[in-house]
Amino acid sequence: VSIAEEAAHKGVHFTPGDHERIAGWMQCHYRLQFDENGYPMMYVFSNCKAFIRTMPLLQYDPSSPEDLDTAGEDHIADEWRYLCMSRPVKPLKPVEQVSLMNDPLGRS
């Protein structure tokens, strides 16, 4: 009996994760943006020690620059990617900055 079958017998049901790596990393990148009101789309708390320790050390794969190099410690990154793929968001459109006053010299 598999773990999934045993869990289903107890009323806990699992759905397979989305294994699309590139789309998953894009979802992670979207979460690193600020929304249109200036709020972060993701928070990392100080007790997320493994995330804080491993994420800055990750590097892109030299042969596939859209993907991570899987030779590094990427377990937490994969968990984050699966989380983001379970609740995908649309990329934010850039917000046009509105000038509150007109500069007579045409400077921004």
Side-chain angles (χ1 to χ4, degrees), residues 17-88:
D18 189 336
H19 296 285
E20 290 294 324
R21 294 181 60 84
I22 306 305
W25 296 130
M26 289 306 302
Q27 284 295 316
C28 293
H29 281 275
Y30 297 156
R31 298 311 195 294
L32 296 176
Q33 298 176 345
F34 293 93
D35 69 11
E36 59 275 354
N37 297 316
Y39 291 104
M41 296 180 62
M42 179 183 151
Y43 290 88
V44 178
F45 296 97
S46 61
N47 62 345
C48 300
K49 295 185 186 307
F51 189 96
I52 294 167
R53 180 179 57 82
T54 60
M55 291 304 292
L57 302 176
L58 296 176
Q59 297 182 10
Y60 287 103
D61 187 335
S63 61
S64 178
E66 298 87 15
D67 201 358
L68 286 183
D69 185 357
T70 58
E73 187 178 352
D74 63 347
H75 302 298
I76 301 297
D78 285 336
E79 292 173 7
W80 178 39
R81 180 172 52 87
Y82 281 119
L83 171 71
C84 291
M85 287 299 283
S86 71
R87 304 287 189 273

